[in-house]
Structure formats: structure tokens, C-alpha cells
PDB file of all heavy atoms in Angstrom:
ATOM      1  N   TYR V   3      -9.621   2.416  -1.454  1.00  0.00           N
ATOM      2  CA  TYR V   3      -8.929   2.737  -2.709  1.00  0.00           C
ATOM      3  C   TYR V   3      -7.874   3.814  -2.485  1.00  0.00           C
ATOM      4  O   TYR V   3      -6.711   3.686  -2.926  1.00  0.00           O
ATOM      5  CB  TYR V   3      -9.957   3.184  -3.739  1.00  0.00           C
ATOM      6  CG  TYR V   3      -9.348   3.706  -5.013  1.00  0.00           C
ATOM      7  CD1 TYR V   3      -8.829   2.824  -5.990  1.00  0.00           C
ATOM      8  CD2 TYR V   3      -9.266   5.073  -5.241  1.00  0.00           C
ATOM      9  CE1 TYR V   3      -8.258   3.328  -7.153  1.00  0.00           C
ATOM     10  CE2 TYR V   3      -8.703   5.572  -6.396  1.00  0.00           C
ATOM     11  CZ  TYR V   3      -8.195   4.692  -7.364  1.00  0.00           C
ATOM     12  OH  TYR V   3      -7.629   5.184  -8.511  1.00  0.00           O
ATOM     13  N   TYR V   4      -8.272   4.894  -1.806  1.00  0.00           N
ATOM     14  CA  TYR V   4      -7.298   5.981  -1.584  1.00  0.00           C
ATOM     15  C   TYR V   4      -6.171   5.555  -0.649  1.00  0.00           C
ATOM     16  O   TYR V   4      -5.009   5.947  -0.826  1.00  0.00           O
ATOM     17  CB  TYR V   4      -8.013   7.213  -1.028  1.00  0.00           C
ATOM     18  CG  TYR V   4      -8.871   7.912  -2.075  1.00  0.00           C
ATOM     19  CD1 TYR V   4     -10.252   7.939  -1.953  1.00  0.00           C
ATOM     20  CD2 TYR V   4      -8.267   8.538  -3.179  1.00  0.00           C
ATOM     21  CE1 TYR V   4     -11.028   8.570  -2.900  1.00  0.00           C
ATOM     22  CE2 TYR V   4      -9.041   9.160  -4.121  1.00  0.00           C
ATOM     23  CZ  TYR V   4     -10.421   9.185  -3.992  1.00  0.00           C
ATOM     24  OH  TYR V   4     -11.181   9.805  -4.936  1.00  0.00           O
ATOM     25  N   ALA V   5      -6.513   4.749   0.377  1.00  0.00           N
ATOM     26  CA  ALA V   5      -5.465   4.284   1.289  1.00  0.00           C
ATOM     27  C   ALA V   5      -4.469   3.364   0.561  1.00  0.00           C
ATOM     28  O   ALA V   5      -3.247   3.436   0.796  1.00  0.00           O
ATOM     29  CB  ALA V   5      -6.105   3.559   2.478  1.00  0.00           C
ATOM     30  N   ALA V   6      -5.001   2.498  -0.306  1.00  0.00           N
ATOM     31  CA  ALA V   6      -4.104   1.622  -1.090  1.00  0.00           C
ATOM     32  C   ALA V   6      -3.216   2.451  -2.009  1.00  0.00           C
ATOM     33  O   ALA V   6      -2.034   2.134  -2.237  1.00  0.00           O
ATOM     34  CB  ALA V   6      -4.946   0.630  -1.892  1.00  0.00           C
ATOM     35  N   GLY V   7      -3.776   3.517  -2.525  1.00  0.00           N
ATOM     36  CA  GLY V   7      -2.970   4.414  -3.358  1.00  0.00           C
ATOM     37  C   GLY V   7      -1.832   5.018  -2.570  1.00  0.00           C
ATOM     38  O   GLY V   7      -0.698   5.150  -3.078  1.00  0.00           O
ATOM     39  N   LEU V   8      -2.121   5.401  -1.324  1.00  0.00           N
ATOM     40  CA  LEU V   8      -1.053   5.962  -0.487  1.00  0.00           C
ATOM     41  C   LEU V   8       0.028   4.908  -0.223  1.00  0.00           C
ATOM     42  O   LEU V   8       1.231   5.224  -0.214  1.00  0.00           O
ATOM     43  CB  LEU V   8      -1.654   6.454   0.851  1.00  0.00           C
ATOM     44  CG  LEU V   8      -2.565   7.679   0.757  1.00  0.00           C
ATOM     45  CD1 LEU V   8      -3.180   7.966   2.137  1.00  0.00           C
ATOM     46  CD2 LEU V   8      -1.763   8.894   0.281  1.00  0.00           C
ATOM     47  N   VAL V   9      -0.418   3.651   0.003  1.00  0.00           N
ATOM     48  CA  VAL V   9       0.561   2.572   0.204  1.00  0.00           C
ATOM     49  C   VAL V   9       1.436   2.408  -1.041  1.00  0.00           C
ATOM     50  O   VAL V   9       2.658   2.179  -0.973  1.00  0.00           O
ATOM     51  CB  VAL V   9      -0.146   1.259   0.569  1.00  0.00           C
ATOM     52  CG1 VAL V   9       0.847   0.081   0.572  1.00  0.00           C
ATOM     53  CG2 VAL V   9      -0.842   1.390   1.928  1.00  0.00           C
ATOM     54  N   GLY V  10       0.803   2.523  -2.210  1.00  0.00           N
ATOM     55  CA  GLY V  10       1.576   2.408  -3.447  1.00  0.00           C
ATOM     56  C   GLY V  10       2.629   3.491  -3.555  1.00  0.00           C
ATOM     57  O   GLY V  10       3.770   3.238  -3.966  1.00  0.00           O
ATOM     58  N   TYR V  11       2.216   4.753  -3.201  1.00  0.00           N
ATOM     59  CA  TYR V  11       3.194   5.840  -3.250  1.00  0.00           C
ATOM     60  C   TYR V  11       4.352   5.600  -2.278  1.00  0.00           C
ATOM     61  O   TYR V  11       5.523   5.878  -2.575  1.00  0.00           O
ATOM     62  CB  TYR V  11       2.521   7.177  -2.912  1.00  0.00           C
ATOM     63  CG  TYR V  11       1.687   7.720  -4.067  1.00  0.00           C
ATOM     64  CD1 TYR V  11       0.321   7.893  -3.924  1.00  0.00           C
ATOM     65  CD2 TYR V  11       2.309   8.047  -5.292  1.00  0.00           C
ATOM     66  CE1 TYR V  11      -0.445   8.382  -4.959  1.00  0.00           C
ATOM     67  CE2 TYR V  11       1.544   8.532  -6.332  1.00  0.00           C
ATOM     68  CZ  TYR V  11       0.166   8.711  -6.170  1.00  0.00           C
ATOM     69  OH  TYR V  11      -0.565   9.191  -7.201  1.00  0.00           O
ATOM     70  N   ILE V  12       3.982   5.083  -1.090  1.00  0.00           N
ATOM     71  CA  ILE V  12       5.033   4.810  -0.113  1.00  0.00           C
ATOM     72  C   ILE V  12       5.984   3.709  -0.623  1.00  0.00           C
ATOM     73  O   ILE V  12       7.221   3.788  -0.484  1.00  0.00           O
ATOM     74  CB  ILE V  12       4.405   4.388   1.231  1.00  0.00           C
ATOM     75  CG1 ILE V  12       3.629   5.580   1.826  1.00  0.00           C
ATOM     76  CG2 ILE V  12       5.471   3.909   2.217  1.00  0.00           C
ATOM     77  CD1 ILE V  12       2.829   5.207   3.060  1.00  0.00           C
ATOM     78  N   ALA V  13       5.438   2.649  -1.229  1.00  0.00           N
ATOM     79  CA  ALA V  13       6.268   1.546  -1.748  1.00  0.00           C
ATOM     80  C   ALA V  13       7.178   2.026  -2.867  1.00  0.00           C
ATOM     81  O   ALA V  13       8.362   1.631  -2.959  1.00  0.00           O
ATOM     82  CB  ALA V  13       5.354   0.411  -2.229  1.00  0.00           C
ATOM     83  N   LYS V  14       6.656   2.899  -3.751  1.00  0.00           N
ATOM     84  CA  LYS V  14       7.477   3.426  -4.837  1.00  0.00           C
ATOM     85  C   LYS V  14       8.623   4.274  -4.277  1.00  0.00           C
ATOM     86  O   LYS V  14       9.761   4.241  -4.786  1.00  0.00           O
ATOM     87  CB  LYS V  14       6.621   4.271  -5.781  1.00  0.00           C
ATOM     88  CG  LYS V  14       5.651   3.452  -6.618  1.00  0.00           C
ATOM     89  CD  LYS V  14       4.797   4.363  -7.505  1.00  0.00           C
ATOM     90  CE  LYS V  14       3.818   3.531  -8.341  1.00  0.00           C
ATOM     91  NZ  LYS V  14       2.974   4.400  -9.188  1.00  0.00           N
ATOM     92  N   SER V  15       8.298   5.035  -3.238  1.00  0.00           N
ATOM     93  CA  SER V  15       9.361   5.869  -2.637  1.00  0.00           C
ATOM     94  C   SER V  15      10.442   4.985  -2.005  1.00  0.00           C
ATOM     95  O   SER V  15      11.646   5.267  -2.130  1.00  0.00           O
ATOM     96  CB  SER V  15       8.753   6.782  -1.552  1.00  0.00           C
ATOM     97  OG  SER V  15       7.780   7.643  -2.117  1.00  0.00           O
ATOM     98  N   ALA V  16      10.000   3.911  -1.355  1.00  0.00           N
ATOM     99  CA  ALA V  16      10.972   3.001  -0.740  1.00  0.00           C
ATOM    100  C   ALA V  16      11.832   2.320  -1.802  1.00  0.00           C
ATOM    101  O   ALA V  16      13.046   2.113  -1.625  1.00  0.00           O
ATOM    102  CB  ALA V  16      10.234   1.958   0.115  1.00  0.00           C
ATOM    103  N   LYS V  17      11.220   1.967  -2.918  1.00  0.00           N
ATOM    104  CA  LYS V  17      11.971   1.317  -4.002  1.00  0.00           C
ATOM    105  C   LYS V  17      12.969   2.294  -4.603  1.00  0.00           C
ATOM    106  O   LYS V  17      14.095   1.907  -5.006  1.00  0.00           O
ATOM    107  CB  LYS V  17      10.969   0.829  -5.058  1.00  0.00           C
ATOM    108  CG  LYS V  17      11.662   0.037  -6.176  1.00  0.00           C
ATOM    109  CD  LYS V  17      10.622  -0.502  -7.155  1.00  0.00           C
ATOM    110  CE  LYS V  17      11.327  -1.299  -8.276  1.00  0.00           C
ATOM    111  NZ  LYS V  17      10.326  -1.828  -9.235  1.00  0.00           N
ATOM    112  N   SER V  18      12.583   3.558  -4.674  1.00  0.00           N
ATOM    113  CA  SER V  18      13.475   4.567  -5.253  1.00  0.00           C
ATOM    114  C   SER V  18      14.734   4.777  -4.412  1.00  0.00           C
ATOM    115  O   SER V  18      15.794   5.109  -4.920  1.00  0.00           O
ATOM    116  CB  SER V  18      12.729   5.905  -5.410  1.00  0.00           C
ATOM    117  OG  SER V  18      11.634   5.758  -6.282  1.00  0.00           O
ATOM    118  N   VAL V  19      14.628   4.591  -3.112  1.00  0.00           N
ATOM    119  CA  VAL V  19      15.794   4.796  -2.249  1.00  0.00           C
ATOM    120  C   VAL V  19      16.627   3.535  -2.122  1.00  0.00           C
ATOM    121  O   VAL V  19      17.570   3.485  -1.354  1.00  0.00           O
ATOM    122  CB  VAL V  19      15.344   5.276  -0.853  1.00  0.00           C
ATOM    123  CG1 VAL V  19      14.675   6.630  -0.951  1.00  0.00           C
ATOM    124  CG2 VAL V  19      14.442   4.247  -0.176  1.00  0.00           C
ATOM    125  N   GLY V  20      16.236   2.472  -2.833  1.00  0.00           N
ATOM    126  CA  GLY V  20      17.069   1.286  -2.882  1.00  0.00           C
ATOM    127  C   GLY V  20      16.514   0.091  -2.147  1.00  0.00           C
ATOM    128  O   GLY V  20      17.195  -0.926  -2.064  1.00  0.00           O
ATOM    129  N   TRP V  21      15.354   0.220  -1.586  1.00  0.00           N
ATOM    130  CA  TRP V  21      14.755  -0.926  -0.896  1.00  0.00           C
ATOM    131  C   TRP V  21      14.210  -1.881  -1.931  1.00  0.00           C
ATOM    132  O   TRP V  21      13.667  -1.485  -2.962  1.00  0.00           O
ATOM    133  CB  TRP V  21      13.632  -0.502   0.050  1.00  0.00           C
ATOM    134  CG  TRP V  21      14.158   0.262   1.268  1.00  0.00           C
ATOM    135  CD1 TRP V  21      15.409   0.681   1.493  1.00  0.00           C
ATOM    136  CD2 TRP V  21      13.367   0.617   2.367  1.00  0.00           C
ATOM    137  NE1 TRP V  21      15.524   1.311   2.682  1.00  0.00           N
ATOM    138  CE2 TRP V  21      14.249   1.292   3.273  1.00  0.00           C
ATOM    139  CE3 TRP V  21      12.025   0.455   2.741  1.00  0.00           C
ATOM    140  CZ2 TRP V  21      13.819   1.802   4.499  1.00  0.00           C
ATOM    141  CZ3 TRP V  21      11.632   0.968   3.961  1.00  0.00           C
ATOM    142  CH2 TRP V  21      12.493   1.644   4.824  1.00  0.00           C
ATOM    143  N   ALA V  22      14.277  -3.170  -1.616  1.00  0.00           N
ATOM    144  CA  ALA V  22      13.774  -4.195  -2.541  1.00  0.00           C
ATOM    145  C   ALA V  22      12.292  -4.406  -2.267  1.00  0.00           C
ATOM    146  O   ALA V  22      11.888  -5.260  -1.478  1.00  0.00           O
ATOM    147  CB  ALA V  22      14.549  -5.484  -2.384  1.00  0.00           C
ATOM    148  N   VAL V  23      11.492  -3.563  -2.842  1.00  0.00           N
ATOM    149  CA  VAL V  23      10.032  -3.591  -2.592  1.00  0.00           C
ATOM    150  C   VAL V  23       9.331  -3.782  -3.915  1.00  0.00           C
ATOM    151  O   VAL V  23       9.613  -3.080  -4.889  1.00  0.00           O
ATOM    152  CB  VAL V  23       9.545  -2.287  -1.938  1.00  0.00           C
ATOM    153  CG1 VAL V  23       8.042  -2.324  -1.748  1.00  0.00           C
ATOM    154  CG2 VAL V  23      10.251  -2.069  -0.609  1.00  0.00           C
ATOM    155  N   ASN V  24       8.416  -4.751  -3.907  1.00  0.00           N
ATOM    156  CA  ASN V  24       7.545  -4.955  -5.066  1.00  0.00           C
ATOM    157  C   ASN V  24       6.286  -4.129  -4.835  1.00  0.00           C
ATOM    158  O   ASN V  24       5.467  -4.407  -3.945  1.00  0.00           O
ATOM    159  CB  ASN V  24       7.211  -6.441  -5.227  1.00  0.00           C
ATOM    160  CG  ASN V  24       6.504  -6.703  -6.563  1.00  0.00           C
ATOM    161  OD1 ASN V  24       5.730  -5.884  -7.060  1.00  0.00           O
ATOM    162  ND2 ASN V  24       6.748  -7.881  -7.136  1.00  0.00           N
ATOM    163  N   VAL V  25       6.182  -3.112  -5.637  1.00  0.00           N
ATOM    164  CA  VAL V  25       5.069  -2.163  -5.431  1.00  0.00           C
ATOM    165  C   VAL V  25       3.729  -2.848  -5.566  1.00  0.00           C
ATOM    166  O   VAL V  25       2.795  -2.643  -4.751  1.00  0.00           O
ATOM    167  CB  VAL V  25       5.186  -0.986  -6.415  1.00  0.00           C
ATOM    168  CG1 VAL V  25       3.999  -0.036  -6.276  1.00  0.00           C
ATOM    169  CG2 VAL V  25       6.503  -0.248  -6.182  1.00  0.00           C
ATOM    170  N   ASP V  26       3.509  -3.635  -6.560  1.00  0.00           N
ATOM    171  CA  ASP V  26       2.209  -4.273  -6.797  1.00  0.00           C
ATOM    172  C   ASP V  26       1.841  -5.209  -5.645  1.00  0.00           C
ATOM    173  O   ASP V  26       0.668  -5.260  -5.208  1.00  0.00           O
ATOM    174  CB  ASP V  26       2.243  -5.054  -8.113  1.00  0.00           C
ATOM    175  CG  ASP V  26       2.402  -4.122  -9.311  1.00  0.00           C
ATOM    176  OD1 ASP V  26       1.976  -2.923  -9.163  1.00  0.00           O
ATOM    177  OD2 ASP V  26       2.868  -4.553 -10.347  1.00  0.00           O
ATOM    178  N   VAL V  27       2.859  -5.963  -5.175  1.00  0.00           N
ATOM    179  CA  VAL V  27       2.584  -6.889  -4.067  1.00  0.00           C
ATOM    180  C   VAL V  27       2.208  -6.109  -2.803  1.00  0.00           C
ATOM    181  O   VAL V  27       1.275  -6.454  -2.064  1.00  0.00           O
ATOM    182  CB  VAL V  27       3.807  -7.783  -3.798  1.00  0.00           C
ATOM    183  CG1 VAL V  27       3.592  -8.616  -2.540  1.00  0.00           C
ATOM    184  CG2 VAL V  27       4.081  -8.686  -4.996  1.00  0.00           C
ATOM    185  N   ALA V  28       2.947  -5.018  -2.561  1.00  0.00           N
ATOM    186  CA  ALA V  28       2.673  -4.210  -1.370  1.00  0.00           C
ATOM    187  C   ALA V  28       1.264  -3.644  -1.406  1.00  0.00           C
ATOM    188  O   ALA V  28       0.518  -3.659  -0.409  1.00  0.00           O
ATOM    189  CB  ALA V  28       3.688  -3.084  -1.257  1.00  0.00           C
ATOM    190  N   VAL V  29       0.846  -3.141  -2.565  1.00  0.00           N
ATOM    191  CA  VAL V  29      -0.523  -2.581  -2.687  1.00  0.00           C
ATOM    192  C   VAL V  29      -1.555  -3.675  -2.529  1.00  0.00           C
ATOM    193  O   VAL V  29      -2.565  -3.515  -1.836  1.00  0.00           O
ATOM    194  CB  VAL V  29      -0.669  -1.848  -4.029  1.00  0.00           C
ATOM    195  CG1 VAL V  29      -2.127  -1.449  -4.262  1.00  0.00           C
ATOM    196  CG2 VAL V  29       0.229  -0.632  -4.076  1.00  0.00           C
ATOM    197  N   GLY V  30      -1.306  -4.814  -3.178  1.00  0.00           N
ATOM    198  CA  GLY V  30      -2.275  -5.914  -3.104  1.00  0.00           C
ATOM    199  C   GLY V  30      -2.435  -6.444  -1.703  1.00  0.00           C
ATOM    200  O   GLY V  30      -3.548  -6.775  -1.263  1.00  0.00           O
ATOM    201  N   VAL V  31      -1.327  -6.543  -0.951  1.00  0.00           N
ATOM    202  CA  VAL V  31      -1.400  -7.043   0.426  1.00  0.00           C
ATOM    203  C   VAL V  31      -2.105  -6.029   1.333  1.00  0.00           C
ATOM    204  O   VAL V  31      -2.852  -6.380   2.258  1.00  0.00           O
ATOM    205  CB  VAL V  31       0.001  -7.362   0.941  1.00  0.00           C
ATOM    206  CG1 VAL V  31      -0.032  -7.683   2.429  1.00  0.00           C
ATOM    207  CG2 VAL V  31       0.594  -8.530   0.172  1.00  0.00           C
ATOM    208  N   SER V  32      -1.912  -4.728   1.046  1.00  0.00           N
ATOM    209  CA  SER V  32      -2.481  -3.704   1.943  1.00  0.00           C
ATOM    210  C   SER V  32      -4.000  -3.560   1.804  1.00  0.00           C
ATOM    211  O   SER V  32      -4.694  -3.103   2.742  1.00  0.00           O
ATOM    212  CB  SER V  32      -1.825  -2.349   1.664  1.00  0.00           C
ATOM    213  OG  SER V  32      -2.164  -1.872   0.358  1.00  0.00           O
ATOM    214  N   VAL V  33      -4.541  -3.910   0.657  1.00  0.00           N
ATOM    215  CA  VAL V  33      -5.988  -3.699   0.425  1.00  0.00           C
ATOM    216  C   VAL V  33      -6.845  -4.435   1.451  1.00  0.00           C
ATOM    217  O   VAL V  33      -7.720  -3.836   2.114  1.00  0.00           O
ATOM    218  CB  VAL V  33      -6.363  -4.076  -1.015  1.00  0.00           C
ATOM    219  CG1 VAL V  33      -7.879  -4.152  -1.167  1.00  0.00           C
ATOM    220  CG2 VAL V  33      -5.758  -3.095  -1.997  1.00  0.00           C
ATOM    221  N   PRO V  34      -6.693  -5.776   1.655  1.00  0.00           N
ATOM    222  CA  PRO V  34      -7.552  -6.440   2.651  1.00  0.00           C
ATOM    223  C   PRO V  34      -7.299  -5.937   4.071  1.00  0.00           C
ATOM    224  O   PRO V  34      -8.217  -5.883   4.896  1.00  0.00           O
ATOM    225  CB  PRO V  34      -7.205  -7.914   2.510  1.00  0.00           C
ATOM    226  CG  PRO V  34      -5.882  -7.946   1.840  1.00  0.00           C
ATOM    227  CD  PRO V  34      -5.800  -6.737   0.979  1.00  0.00           C
ATOM    228  N   ILE V  35      -6.029  -5.572   4.340  1.00  0.00           N
ATOM    229  CA  ILE V  35      -5.745  -5.071   5.698  1.00  0.00           C
ATOM    230  C   ILE V  35      -6.474  -3.752   5.940  1.00  0.00           C
ATOM    231  O   ILE V  35      -7.108  -3.527   6.984  1.00  0.00           O
ATOM    232  CB  ILE V  35      -4.230  -4.918   5.889  1.00  0.00           C
ATOM    233  CG1 ILE V  35      -3.533  -6.283   5.750  1.00  0.00           C
ATOM    234  CG2 ILE V  35      -3.914  -4.270   7.222  1.00  0.00           C
ATOM    235  CD1 ILE V  35      -2.010  -6.207   5.755  1.00  0.00           C
ATOM    236  N   ILE V  36      -6.359  -2.852   4.951  1.00  0.00           N
ATOM    237  CA  ILE V  36      -7.049  -1.539   5.095  1.00  0.00           C
ATOM    238  C   ILE V  36      -8.558  -1.728   5.203  1.00  0.00           C
ATOM    239  O   ILE V  36      -9.238  -1.095   6.035  1.00  0.00           O
ATOM    240  CB  ILE V  36      -6.693  -0.635   3.893  1.00  0.00           C
ATOM    241  CG1 ILE V  36      -5.207  -0.285   3.916  1.00  0.00           C
ATOM    242  CG2 ILE V  36      -7.548   0.635   3.904  1.00  0.00           C
ATOM    243  CD1 ILE V  36      -4.721   0.412   2.660  1.00  0.00           C
ATOM    244  N   LEU V  37      -9.099  -2.594   4.386  1.00  0.00           N
ATOM    245  CA  LEU V  37     -10.539  -2.832   4.388  1.00  0.00           C
ATOM    246  C   LEU V  37     -10.990  -3.365   5.740  1.00  0.00           C
ATOM    247  O   LEU V  37     -12.031  -2.935   6.298  1.00  0.00           O
ATOM    248  CB  LEU V  37     -10.896  -3.809   3.272  1.00  0.00           C
ATOM    249  CG  LEU V  37     -12.399  -4.105   3.082  1.00  0.00           C
ATOM    250  CD1 LEU V  37     -13.161  -2.838   2.745  1.00  0.00           C
ATOM    251  CD2 LEU V  37     -12.591  -5.156   1.989  1.00  0.00           C
ATOM    252  N   LEU V  38     -10.225  -4.305   6.329  1.00  0.00           N
ATOM    253  CA  LEU V  38     -10.563  -4.881   7.628  1.00  0.00           C
ATOM    254  C   LEU V  38     -10.505  -3.814   8.722  1.00  0.00           C
ATOM    255  O   LEU V  38     -11.392  -3.741   9.584  1.00  0.00           O
ATOM    256  CB  LEU V  38      -9.600  -6.031   7.941  1.00  0.00           C
ATOM    257  CG  LEU V  38      -9.820  -6.739   9.290  1.00  0.00           C
ATOM    258  CD1 LEU V  38     -11.211  -7.372   9.336  1.00  0.00           C
ATOM    259  CD2 LEU V  38      -8.737  -7.792   9.524  1.00  0.00           C
ATOM    260  N   VAL V  39      -9.475  -2.958   8.669  1.00  0.00           N
ATOM    261  CA  VAL V  39      -9.341  -1.895   9.691  1.00  0.00           C
ATOM    262  C   VAL V  39     -10.521  -0.925   9.619  1.00  0.00           C
ATOM    263  O   VAL V  39     -11.098  -0.518  10.637  1.00  0.00           O
ATOM    264  CB  VAL V  39      -8.009  -1.172   9.519  1.00  0.00           C
ATOM    265  CG1 VAL V  39      -7.961   0.077  10.394  1.00  0.00           C
ATOM    266  CG2 VAL V  39      -6.836  -2.102   9.846  1.00  0.00           C
ATOM    267  N   LEU V  40     -10.909  -0.548   8.400  1.00  0.00           N
ATOM    268  CA  LEU V  40     -12.031   0.398   8.247  1.00  0.00           C
ATOM    269  C   LEU V  40     -13.356  -0.202   8.727  1.00  0.00           C
ATOM    270  O   LEU V  40     -14.157   0.472   9.396  1.00  0.00           O
ATOM    271  CB  LEU V  40     -12.143   0.836   6.781  1.00  0.00           C
ATOM    272  CG  LEU V  40     -11.031   1.753   6.270  1.00  0.00           C
ATOM    273  CD1 LEU V  40     -11.195   2.006   4.769  1.00  0.00           C
ATOM    274  CD2 LEU V  40     -11.014   3.074   7.035  1.00  0.00           C
ATOM    275  N   VAL V  41     -13.593  -1.459   8.386  1.00  0.00           N
ATOM    276  CA  VAL V  41     -14.842  -2.117   8.829  1.00  0.00           C
ATOM    277  C   VAL V  41     -14.885  -2.212  10.335  1.00  0.00           C
ATOM    278  O   VAL V  41     -15.910  -1.927  10.967  1.00  0.00           O
ATOM    279  CB  VAL V  41     -14.965  -3.503   8.180  1.00  0.00           C
ATOM    280  CG1 VAL V  41     -16.111  -4.288   8.795  1.00  0.00           C
ATOM    281  CG2 VAL V  41     -15.164  -3.352   6.676  1.00  0.00           C
ATOM    282  N   MET V  42     -13.792  -2.623  10.976  1.00  0.00           N
ATOM    283  CA  MET V  42     -13.752  -2.729  12.428  1.00  0.00           C
ATOM    284  C   MET V  42     -13.934  -1.346  13.079  1.00  0.00           C
ATOM    285  O   MET V  42     -14.651  -1.194  14.084  1.00  0.00           O
ATOM    286  CB  MET V  42     -12.433  -3.354  12.877  1.00  0.00           C
ATOM    287  CG  MET V  42     -12.260  -4.808  12.420  1.00  0.00           C
ATOM    288  SD  MET V  42     -13.535  -5.900  13.081  1.00  0.00           S
ATOM    289  CE  MET V  42     -13.130  -5.820  14.826  1.00  0.00           C
ATOM    290  N   GLY V  43     -13.299  -0.327  12.508  1.00  0.00           N
ATOM    291  CA  GLY V  43     -13.463   1.028  13.064  1.00  0.00           C
ATOM    292  C   GLY V  43     -14.898   1.530  12.949  1.00  0.00           C
ATOM    293  O   GLY V  43     -15.426   2.186  13.867  1.00  0.00           O
TER     294      GLY V  43
END
């Protein structure tokens, strides 16, 4: 949850500087990746 939140903050910052980033999509995609990394670790 906290890692996904950090991804959301990063996506919002990227969108603010002009990058074409969908914040919700970025957070949603990062959740399974973060979860998989934590379980493997």
C-alpha cells in the first residue's frame, strides 16, 4: 500500500512536469509488481 502510494506521488509529479502519465493506471500496474517483489524478497 505504501509503495503504491509512492508510485502515485511519482506519477503525479511526472504529470505535473508535462509527461503524459495516467496516475491511476500507473498505481494500478505497480501494485502487483510491488507485491511480487516483496513476496520474492
Side-chain angles (χ1 to χ4, degrees):
Y3 173 77
Y4 288 114
L8 291 175
V9 171
Y11 284 118
I12 294 173
K14 289 178 180 179
S15 299
K17 185 177 180 180
S18 299
V19 296
W21 290 7
V23 178
N24 190 326
V25 177
D26 294 334
V27 173
V29 172
V31 172
S32 66
V33 168
I35 298 173
I36 294 171
L37 183 61
L38 180 61
V39 170
L40 289 175
V41 170
M42 295 299 294

